[in-house]
Amino acid sequence: MQTFIRFMQDETAATAIEYGLIAALISVALIAGLGAFADSLTAVFDRIVAAMDGAGKS
């Protein structure tokens, strides 16, 4: 019975789960943010490539 009581009072696993949930939320936010930013970034690199192609041909 004492083992069960110690198990119920142990909060170590709860803390690990909380940290895991926080890390998951941050990951989802980063993925969503980068997904929204990807089109703009692709356009910038396309302009850079076009400018470099134009500079190399002249």
Side-chain angles (χ1 to χ4, degrees):
M1 187 69 173
Q2 288 180 354
T3 305
F4 180 73
I5 291 171
R6 271 189 282 140
F7 176 73
M8 293 304 291
Q9 291 175 345
D10 186 14
E11 296 182 2
T12 308
T15 303
I17 291 171
E18 289 171 354
Y19 283 131
L21 289 173
I22 291 169
L25 288 173
I26 291 172
S27 299
V28 168
L30 285 173
I31 291 169
L34 290 175
F37 186 64
D39 293 335
S40 301
L41 189 60
T42 301
V44 169
F45 280 119
D46 287 343
R47 281 188 279 160
I48 291 171
V49 169
M52 290 176 75
D53 282 343
K57 292 179 182 176
S58 57

